[in-house]
Amino acid sequence: METMTSTQMADLYGLKSSIAFNKLMARCGILVDTVKGYVLAESFRGQGYTTAVTQWFFLPNGAKASKKRGAWTEKGCQLIHDRLQRLGILPLDEQHDLFN
């Protein structure tokens, strides 16, 4: 695993959207909800939890364009896993293990 988007993390935890995931991260103190959207809480900035990735796409006229997006690093995913596990929230694949 190199990086994961908030949408991928939401899927991992069985949440309906990246918005639901970001709201959960805000409740956990990992993200802060600002006017411009969710940002990493100051206490976690600059520690390698997130990175910028380039997302390529095509415009309606066929031109290729790109946009920088935030993504969770492996270290960030571990932070999230540890924080949510302390709250009793597990990824779907670990929830299944509880019933075996």
Side-chain angles (χ1 to χ4, degrees):
M1 167 181 57
E2 290 185 22
T3 61
M4 290 186 76
T5 65
S6 290
T7 300
Q8 291 170 317
M9 292 296 289
D11 288 344
L12 190 67
Y13 283 90
L15 299 170
K16 293 182 180 184
S17 67
S18 62
I19 295 169
F21 175 77
N22 289 339
K23 285 180 180 180
L24 177 60
M25 292 301 95
R27 284 193 295 258
C28 291
I30 295 173
L31 294 180
V32 176
D33 190 4
T34 70
V35 175
K36 294 184 177 183
Y38 289 94
V39 296
L40 198 59
E42 191 172 341
S43 61
F44 296 109
R45 292 182 199 154
Q47 297 183 45
Y49 294 116
T50 60
T51 189
V53 295
T54 304
Q55 179 183 20
W56 292 94
F57 56 94
F58 290 96
L59 299 172
N61 67 3
K64 192 173 183 181
S66 67
K67 187 180 205 178
K68 289 282 187 184
R69 309 287 289 188
W72 295 98
T73 62
E74 202 163 329
K75 183 178 178 182
C77 292
Q78 188 63 52
L79 168 73
I80 291 164
H81 181 274
D82 293 347
R83 182 71 56 102
L84 292 179
Q85 187 175 35
R86 279 186 254 143
L87 297 172
I89 302 170
L90 299 172
L92 291 178
D93 63 337
E94 291 182 33
Q95 290 175 20
H96 179 71
D97 292 343
L98 294 175
F99 300 105
N100 288 331

